[in-house]
């Protein structure tokens, strides 16, 4: 029995390694999603946000959470492969002991059929379970085509798994085999066969290891969560310093020639755009600030850029969106999706943007095109967009399905950026306090500073006004006369006359509110 199990385990492991190698190859050279990524995205969308945040904390942050998730999914897949191999071995042994029908490739006939049926069933289960995410294609194929490519790839991967497992199982037959009824002739001694299997296994393990390392080098771990904060903030954030947030372990690397943007759903004339067609349309340049919903008070998951693009409304009109349209669902090449109201989609400032500060969109900010939707949190600004789907109901995007929201309107926000108040200040010395204020798409009308525990508020000077869609920068000249500890707070008034709320609210589920407060120590 031990021999049966070992033989099956080795066969299953070989099949699993072959499948893993091919899967990583398809991911690297063809942009096909791995099962680990698909499973991760599928599961992440089902986890309630509080559990999700707890998990992030327990695993030491988003980055290690992603690594552990992907690592265990890959290991789990290999484990299942080994279990499959053992099942094959045990079934075949039982069958061969109990019948005298001629075996097929040295395996019981019924076992061969069972393997084929189980492999097909596994494929169906995977396709059904992961269906919402199968439109992922990291090189940017439009979702319809991408879904077919993923389904076919999964079939090929499982077929390779089954074929290699059966092949190795046969090679590991206890007695030397010399030809058989299927006409396949294998006349090698067991020692040589074992050497061959060991060698092939080592090559597979080494190549999948190598590809994992290459993908790891391209992973988002080094830049996911990058803030734009600290000294030297410019009103327009340089592209390479723009804050970055992504759900991905390895971001899309969209191929311009493969990429297409579909506009479909509740439309009379579904459209497919390539980049050239979009670039040929008349474009809008628009300065817009983005901020992540999970940007705590005082943090820097916020940046500002000049975006060039086509109003989404133009595309929706070209496609003939129907009257019963309620929302648009925006799909990204990474399988991400998010939604907003059809009304919002028709606002002239909602763009499909393809340039950032005059350059083509950087890869990590959504090359070749992303959504820009002023007034809503960053997550609604879908990157690597491949599909605009018009729907007649309230659909939920990636984070909304975790329970974030329901309101994704950016509330009034302000921040003190400097000077650094860590060192004591001399009484009587002038200090130029400065910082940022942001009100989504409502504009910043005024900024006020308090240096006395919020008893009195004084107007700050706006040093960069921006537009209704951007942040503003402010400055406040302060000269503390007495040695003491001072609590400095900032608040702002938006274009509608609404004063920023002092109510302290955490980031989940609708984004943080409250004042940014810093303490300054003034000495004689
Ligand atoms: N396709 C896709 N779009 C996406 C995301 C993503 O993971 N995938 N993340 C969203 C989130 S949560 C934010 S805050 C913004 C960040 O955009 P940036 O990285 O260009 O600053 O992108 C949004 N768009
Ligand atoms: Mo975000």
């Amino acid at each position: 029995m031990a021999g049966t199990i070992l033989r099956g385990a080795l066969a299953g492991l070989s099949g699993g390694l072959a499948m893993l190698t091919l899967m990583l190859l398809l991911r690297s050279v063809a942009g096909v999603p791995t099962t680990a990524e698909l499973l991760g995205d599928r599961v992440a969308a089902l986890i309630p946000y509080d559990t999700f945040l707890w998990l992030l904390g327990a695993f030491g942050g988003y980055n290690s959470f992603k690594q552990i998730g992907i690592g265990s999914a890959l290991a789990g897949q290999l484990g299942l492969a080994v279990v499959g191999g053992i099942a094959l071995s045990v079934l075949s042994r039982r069958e061969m002991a109990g019948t005298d029908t001629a075996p097929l490739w040295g395996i019981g006939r019924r076992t061969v059929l069972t393997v084929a049926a189980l492999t097909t069933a596994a494929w169906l289960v995977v396709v059904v379970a992961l269906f919402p995410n199968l439109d992922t294609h990291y090189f940017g194929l439009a979702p319809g085509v991408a879904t077919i490519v993923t389904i076919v790839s999964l079939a090929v991967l499982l077929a390779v798994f089954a074929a290699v497992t059966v092949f190795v199982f046969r090679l590991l037959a206890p007695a030397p085999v010399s030809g058989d009824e299927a006409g396949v002739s294998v006349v090698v001694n067991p020692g040589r066969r074992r050497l061959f299997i060991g060698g092939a296994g080592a090559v597979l393990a080494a190549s999948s290891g190598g590809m994992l390392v290459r993908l790891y080098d391209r992973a988002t771990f080094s830049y996911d969560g990058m803030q734009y904060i600290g000294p030297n903030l410019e009103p327009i954030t340089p592209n390479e310093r723009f804050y970055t947030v992504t759900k991905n372990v390895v971001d899309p690397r969209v191929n311009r020639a493969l990429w297409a943007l579909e506009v479909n759903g509740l439309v009379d004339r579904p459209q497919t755009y390539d980049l050239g067609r979009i670039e040929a349309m008349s474009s809008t340049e628009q300065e817009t600030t983005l901020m992540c919903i999970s940007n705590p008070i005082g943090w820097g998951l916020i940046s500002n850029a000049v975006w060039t693009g086509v109003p989404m409304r133009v595309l929706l009109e070209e496609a003939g969106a129907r009257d019963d349209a309620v929302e648009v669902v925006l799909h990204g090449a990474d399988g991400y999706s998010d939604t907003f109201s059809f009304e919002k989609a028709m606002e002239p400032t909602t763009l499909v943007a393809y340039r950032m500060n005059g350059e083509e969109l950087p890869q990590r900010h959504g090359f070749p095109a992303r959504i820009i939707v002023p007034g809503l949190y960053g997550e609604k600004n879908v990157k690597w967009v491949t599909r605009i789907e018009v729907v007649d109901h309230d659909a939920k995007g990636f984070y909304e399905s975790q329970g974030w929201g329901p309101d994704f309107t950016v509330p009034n926000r302000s921040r003190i950026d400097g000077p650094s108040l860590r060192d004591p200040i001399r009484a009587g010395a002038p200090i130029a306090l400065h910082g940022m204020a942001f009100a989504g798409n409502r504009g910043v009308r005024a900024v006020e500073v308090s240096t006395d525990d919020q008893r009195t508020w004084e107007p700050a000077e706006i040093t960069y006004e921006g537009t209704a869609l951007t942040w503003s920068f402010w400055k406040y000249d302060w000269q503390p006369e007495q040695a003491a500890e001072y609590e400095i707070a900032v608040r702002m008034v938006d274009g509608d006359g609404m004063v920023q709320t002092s109510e302290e609210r955490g980031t989940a589920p609708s984004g943080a509110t409250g004042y940014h407060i810093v303490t300054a120590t003034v000495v004689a």
Side-chain angles (χ1 to χ4, degrees):
M1 194 63 187
T4 307
I5 290 181
L6 185 65
R7 181 178 168 204
L10 276 177
L13 182 64
S14 309
L17 273 179
M19 174 167 64
L20 179 65
T21 307
L22 182 61
M23 190 174 90
L24 293 173
L25 191 70
L26 286 174
R27 175 64 169 88
S28 311
V29 306
V32 177
T34 61
T35 47
E37 288 166 307
L38 292 172
L39 184 66
D41 286 351
R42 183 82 180 102
V43 172
L46 299 174
I47 305 179
Y49 69 85
D50 42 0
T51 313
F52 187 72
L53 293 175
W54 179 85
L55 282 170
L56 295 194
F59 284 102
Y62 209 166
N63 280 341
S64 39
F65 184 57
K66 286 178 182 175
Q67 294 185 37
I68 292 163
I70 293 288
S72 36
L74 294 178
Q77 182 173 308
L78 272 183
L80 279 177
V82 170
V83 170
I86 294 174
L88 159 73
S89 190
V90 171
L91 282 178
S92 174
R93 184 183 142 126
R94 282 224 194 117
E95 189 184 349
M96 306 277 274
T99 69
D100 45 28
T101 36
L104 189 59
W105 311 313
I107 303 169
R109 278 178 185 273
R110 253 191 292 124
T111 305
V112 173
L113 283 180
T114 310
V115 167
L118 285 179
T119 310
T120 310
W123 175 66
L124 286 174
V125 166
V126 170
V127 166
V128 170
L130 302 179
F131 195 78
N133 302 73
L134 299 184
D135 61 356
T136 305
H137 186 267
Y138 292 97
F139 289 177
L141 281 179
V145 191
T147 302
I148 296 167
V149 168
T150 311
I151 290 176
V152 171
S153 304
L154 288 168
V156 170
L157 287 170
L158 279 161
V160 164
F161 162 68
V164 172
T165 302
V166 166
F167 177 71
V168 171
F169 180 73
R170 166 138 174 73
L171 281 185
L172 289 171
V177 192
S178 52
D180 73 86
E181 74 294 338
V184 187
S185 152
V186 186
V187 193
V188 216
N189 69 46
R192 279 241 197 113
R193 277 188 268 148
R194 271 182 217 124
L195 204 65
F196 168 76
I197 294 164
V203 169
L204 286 179
S207 41
S208 48
M211 280 186 291
L212 269 181
V213 169
R214 267 193 36 201
L215 285 169
Y216 190 91
D217 286 343
R218 280 176 39 200
T220 57
F221 308 132
S222 61
Y223 61 83
D224 183 21
M226 188 184 94
Q227 301 183 51
Y228 184 56
I229 192 113
N232 310 319
L233 295 190
E234 297 166 62
I236 308 282
T237 312
N239 286 356
E240 55 299 338
R241 289 190 66 194
F242 202 95
Y243 95 89
T244 314
V245 173
T246 170
K247 72 157 180 69
N248 300 312
V249 174
V250 177
D251 270 340
R253 210 181 246 193
V254 171
N255 181 308
R256 192 193 154 111
L258 288 184
W259 179 83
L261 172 63
E262 297 179 341
V263 182
N264 54 27
L266 287 181
V267 300
D268 289 329
R269 299 173 295 277
Q271 302 286 316
T272 304
Y273 296 84
D274 61 18
L275 194 55
R277 184 168 165 206
I278 290 182
E279 285 169 338
M281 302 172 84
S282 104
S283 66
T284 304
E285 260 198 14
Q286 179 178 296
E287 190 181 326
T288 306
T289 301
L290 302 189
M291 181 173 80
C292 182
I293 193 168
S294 56
N295 187 38
I297 301 297
W299 285 43
L301 294 173
I302 177 170
S303 298
N304 184 44
V306 179
W307 310 90
T308 308
V310 176
M312 191 185 288
R313 143 178 228 142
V314 174
L315 304 185
L316 290 169
E317 280 168 355
E318 208 157 58
R322 299 204 195 126
D323 291 343
D324 48 345
V326 173
E327 278 195 343
V328 286
V329 185
L330 298 320
H331 300 261
D334 55 347
Y336 181 86
S337 68
D338 219 321
T339 68
F340 42 80
S341 71
F342 185 72
E343 205 183 343
K344 187 78 193 169
M346 293 296 278
E347 284 180 14
T349 52
T350 301
L351 306 182
V352 173
Y354 54 88
R355 297 185 83 75
M356 179 178 183
N357 293 330
E359 291 165 30
E360 68 180 18
L361 277 185
Q363 195 197 325
R364 66 177 66 159
H365 296 295
F367 177 84
R370 77 175 301 167
I371 304 302
I372 291 295
V373 56
L376 300 181
Y377 282 118
E379 63 166 86
K380 302 280 171 183
N381 296 251
V382 173
K383 303 191 269 191
W384 311 287
V385 63
T386 50
R387 181 182 182 200
I388 299 172
E389 181 190 7
V390 181
V391 298
D392 64 357
H393 58 274
D394 174 21
K396 287 193 189 332
F398 186 78
Y399 289 109
E400 197 179 1
S401 62
Q402 291 186 331
W404 291 82
D407 188 10
F408 294 92
T409 310
V410 177
N412 292 355
R413 174 71 75 102
S414 53
R415 189 178 69 196
I416 301 163
D417 284 324
S420 165
L421 299 171
R422 252 168 298 157
D423 302 324
I425 299 158
R426 292 249 152 244
I431 305 273
L433 299 169
H434 62 93
M436 154 314 267
F438 180 49
N441 61 349
R442 301 177 302 281
V444 176
R445 182 177 294 173
V447 176
E448 296 171 331
V449 172
S450 169
T451 55
D452 57 2
D453 274 342
Q454 299 177 40
R455 273 190 292 276
T456 60
W457 293 88
E458 296 288 331
E461 183 191 328
I462 302 292
T463 54
Y464 179 76
E465 193 176 344
T467 74
L469 311 182
T470 72
W471 60 16
S472 298
F473 282 8
W474 58 267
K475 168 170 121 31
Y476 179 78
D477 293 318
W478 182 44
Q479 196 164 334
E481 300 297 346
Q482 248 107 66
E485 292 253 301
Y486 291 82
E487 202 178 79
I488 303 167
V490 60
R491 70 180 185 192
M492 56 89 70
V493 184
D494 70 16
D496 298 338
M498 280 290 291
V499 183
Q500 180 181 346
T501 178
S502 62
E503 188 197 323
E504 287 179 24
R505 190 176 83 181
T507 57
S510 294
T513 62
Y515 296 158
H516 188 208
I517 298 168
V518 298
T519 308
T521 307
V522 176
V523 295

